[in-house]
Amino acid sequence: MRRRSWWGWGWEDEGLAPAEVTDLGQRLAGLGAPPAGMLPAPEVPELSASRLAMPGSLAHLATAEERDRAGHAMGKAYRDVMRALRGLVPRPPDLVVRPASEDDVVAVLDWCSAGGIAVVPYGGGSSVVGGVECPDGPSISLDLGRLDRVLDVDTTSLAARIQAGTLGPALEAQLRPHDLTLRHYPQSFEFSTLGGWIATRSAGHYATGPTHIEDHVESLRLVSPAGVVATRRLPASGAGPAADRLVAGSEGTLGVITEAWMRVRRRPEHRAAATVRFADRVSALAALRDIAQSGLEPANCRLLDAGEAALFAGRADGAHLLLLGFESAAMPVGELLVAATRMAVGHGGEQLAGGSGDGWRAAFLRAPYARDAMARLGMIVETFETATTWDRLDEQHAEVAGAVLGALQRVPGGGVVTSRITHVYPDGAAPYYTVVAPGRPGEEVAMWDEVKAVASAAIGAAGGTITHHHAVGRDHRRWFVEEASPPWLAALAAAKTALDPMGVMNPGALLPA
């Protein structure tokens, strides 16, 4: 049977082949970031003994097996991968608990709340912000993987009732016989769940239109220590603040999402795509803004800078690439693509022959495996993202990229920063940055933490948000608290107290423990 890597991304047998690692090392050297030697894949280290034993009625749901506990101790950020490569697994959960029903979730939360035991909800474990790490003290990792079914499909209203532990591929496979799709494809799609998407306000693969997951939530169920929050299936409502919107982005701090009715759509039959090359960033951004404000709403409208194009699209000519794509279940989209491409060419772009963007898409999906290989090569390699309005985009980019490059010169002594625009809106855009730098053996995590702090402070100073789609977790909490207004933080803390009186739900994520 295939096994997921306990320490890195994805399947154990899907890592980069030796030839791919060699090619990657050569490309990194060409960017001025020569790698060191290759670190071996780590064995599971010896963990501290579990401090917990579940009562007999729940014991069959729990395991204290070391590989399971180690695999649930951290997410999949660079710092998590590097800690594991160095044999460090801080604060593993005492137990991994896999409920098979909502009733099981209720019983587990009752037991943990009564005993003051921390509960860390776990979907696919792909958090890159410390969202699934356990605090000090007794804790369990509540793995929702057994809640993995599409329970009901309403083909009249175009909605589906889906359990929260359903992974992206399983969700789409169960909708396919109905010729329906959720069309929510984050890069973590293969190893992330519906409940995780809602809990972190995930943004999908699509660059325009309703891409954030909360726009697709029709209703949901949240099990909290204080009881079940259930919202009503409605297309819209003006009855007070929306409970769905409070739950979305709550990151497991208010309770456990067990299921949701999601707005789905018919599967697309018509597609068209193109790639446009730009010689400079200014022209590319002008074209991007015009398309975002045109109302055409392309499914893909992503801008890769020259460094990003070299790393992920195999183009080393110094060009910026705009990837455009349209799709529809109801009508041909060729004319929409022609209109968007004409806008891009009007700003000095050059449409590339055969430029569907498929090569970049394949590299995009393989990027987490490449990140693990770079970590094993001793490199610092991580991403961060933000969002801001168009009028501040150029200034923010200059300040953030400049601050990070300065930190790279000071901390590791060199490195590169590449960027792409991943999502666009009529009023702004979401820049996404990749950092690659040589690390010093044993100091890689501390070095990245220092660079990350510089990047986060620069984003805040420039008026951007600390996260567009990676969530807050524990890693971003400091800057989230600075970004949010004090009355709102007080209201959020009061909601947590009401739903989680003993403070056992994912303590330390989003809000101070």
Side-chain angles (χ1 to χ4, degrees), residues 170-185:
L171 186 157
E172 288 294 332
Q174 293 176 72
L175 290 177
R176 189 170 292 112
H178 304 277
D179 200 31
L180 296 173
T181 175
L182 182 60
R183 303 304 281 167
H184 188 77
Y185 292 123

Side-chain angles (χ1 to χ4, degrees), residues 9 14-17 20 187 361-371:
W9 183 261
E14 281 287 328
L16 268 63
E20 291 179 292
Q187 189 176 37
R361 187 176 296 110
F364 174 76
L365 295 174
R366 290 283 290 163
Y369 292 103
R371 187 278 315 268

Side-chain angles (χ1 to χ4, degrees), residues 447-504:
M447 294 168 72
W448 166 245
D449 285 348
E450 188 172 346
V451 175
K452 168 72 172 179
V454 169
S456 300
I459 286 171
T465 179
I466 188 57
T467 177
H468 172 260
H469 57 267
H470 279 176
V472 174
R474 291 162 180 81
D475 295 353
H476 287 159
R477 187 184 68 207
R478 164 184 159 192
W479 294 281
F480 167 68
V481 169
E482 293 177 0
E483 179 179 326
S485 63
W488 171 239
L489 291 172
L492 189 58
K496 177 170 176 63
T497 299
L499 293 171
D500 179 24
M502 299 303 295
V504 299

